[in-house]
Amino acid sequence: ETGVTQTPRHLVMGMTNKKSLKCEQHLGHNAMYWYKQSAKKPLELMFVYSLEERVENNSVPSRFSPECPNSSHLFLHLHTLQPEDSALYLCASSPGQGRYEQYFGPGTRLTVT
Amino acid sequence: DQQVKQNSPSLSVQEGRISILNCDYTNSMFDYFLWYKKYPAEGPTFLISISSIKDKNEDGRFTVFLNKSAKHLSLHIVPSQPGDSAVYFCAAISNSGYALNFGKGTSLLVTP
């Protein structure tokens, strides 16, 4: 596998379910990101991890809980979501050390029923 | 408050011609600008970037121009190919932050 991978690609969950999104980067990057893309809106940054430490949390509700066990893996744990949380969730990674380009995974299309 | 704006939601260009995609920004603290290409049901793909200390960067058929005084950048694709048809996003970041600020995208259609 190369680049940034995300699983699952599609997820349908009820409001009382608990699920997790997984992201893995094979690029040796130092930083990882979760973004949310809703219809007709720009990409919204949710969380940033740099060297496995969370460095940014953009006022995301606590029903979204990130986890970064190592520099290659990033999870987004979901619980008691709302229908308005339905969106495309994108993971990205970047090299760090003065290089700003972020490389995105294919995304998880989440539908909350 | 949208700090990066792409005012043209769509653009149609004939194959072989030049495609010019435009982007404006409001935050003078941005240090780095990037262009991404996105196909439906896929994540954005990084295309090309430019530092604020430069005014041009070229990579194959893609050239990005930066006009700092006008807070404007553009992506030129020459010659355009049907496979270039996608949504193009402009993004900007300051070197003190982590967040890429994205525009809403311009949908490019290259017709044969």
Side-chain angles (χ1 to χ4, degrees):
Chain A
E1 289 268 25
T2 58
V4 181
T5 58
Q6 288 185 245
T7 54
R9 293 294 308 274
H10 300 272
L11 178 62
V12 179
M13 60 186 288
M15 290 192 285
T16 58
N17 289 159
K18 288 185 181 181
K19 297 284 184 184
S20 295
L21 310 185
K22 179 183 175 183
C23 175
E24 187 172 357
Q25 60 100 357
H26 309 267
L27 300 167
H29 288 170
N30 290 334
M32 295 187 77
Y33 309 75
W34 280 116
Y35 284 89
K36 175 184 178 182
Q37 183 163 42
S38 305
K40 309 226 188 271
K41 285 188 176 181
L43 276 168
E44 300 171 58
L45 180 67
M46 299 175 74
F47 301 104
V48 182
Y49 277 82
S50 177
L51 297 171
E52 300 152 47
E53 283 197 30
R54 192 190 312 179
V55 295
E56 195 150 326
N57 175 349
N58 267 9
S59 304
V60 179
S62 60
R63 57 186 184 269
F64 295 90
S65 174
E67 179 191 0
C68 187
N70 55 61
S71 59
S72 299
H73 293 86
L74 185 64
F75 295 89
L76 188 63
H77 303 299
L78 316 170
H79 63 98
T80 59
L81 294 193
Q82 305 297 312
E84 59 264 29
D85 296 322
S86 299
L88 180 68
Y89 288 85
L90 288 159
C91 174
S93 69
S94 67
Q97 298 171 323
R99 289 183 56 196
Y100 303 102
E101 62 272 19
Q102 295 178 17
Y103 294 84
F104 286 82
T108 294
R109 173 66 63 187
L110 174 67
T111 303
V112 181
T113 60
Chain B
D1 180 31
Q2 190 89 26
Q3 298 186 70
V4 177
K5 298 177 185 177
Q6 293 176 258
N7 292 319
S8 299
S10 63
L11 175 68
S12 183
V13 171
Q14 254 188 332
E15 181 178 6
R17 301 279 185 127
I18 183 171
S19 295
I20 300 177
L21 298 112
N22 293 304
C23 178
D24 297 294
Y25 62 95
T26 57
N27 189 342
S28 57
M29 301 301 291
F30 288 142
D31 297 293
Y32 210 70
F33 303 89
L34 308 95
W35 283 95
Y36 284 82
K37 174 180 179 181
K38 187 177 186 301
Y39 294 114
E42 293 184 14
T45 300
F46 170 66
L47 271 179
I48 191 168
S49 61
I50 187 166
S51 163
S52 60
I53 62 172
K54 297 190 172 182
D55 55 18
K56 178 183 174 181
N57 189 26
E58 193 172 348
D59 184 2
R61 296 185 299 115
F62 301 92
T63 303
V64 56
F65 295 91
L66 175 63
N67 182 334
K68 280 194 72 176
S69 60
K71 294 193 178 69
H72 177 84
L73 64 155
S74 60
L75 175 68
H76 292 211
I77 307 174
V78 180
S80 301
Q81 299 172 354
D84 295 329
S85 298
V87 179
Y88 289 78
F89 291 92
C90 171
I93 190 170
S94 73
N95 62 14
S96 60
Y98 293 94
L100 276 177
N101 294 269
F102 281 89
K104 290 187 177 180
T106 296
S107 179
L108 173 66
L109 177 65
V110 180
T111 56

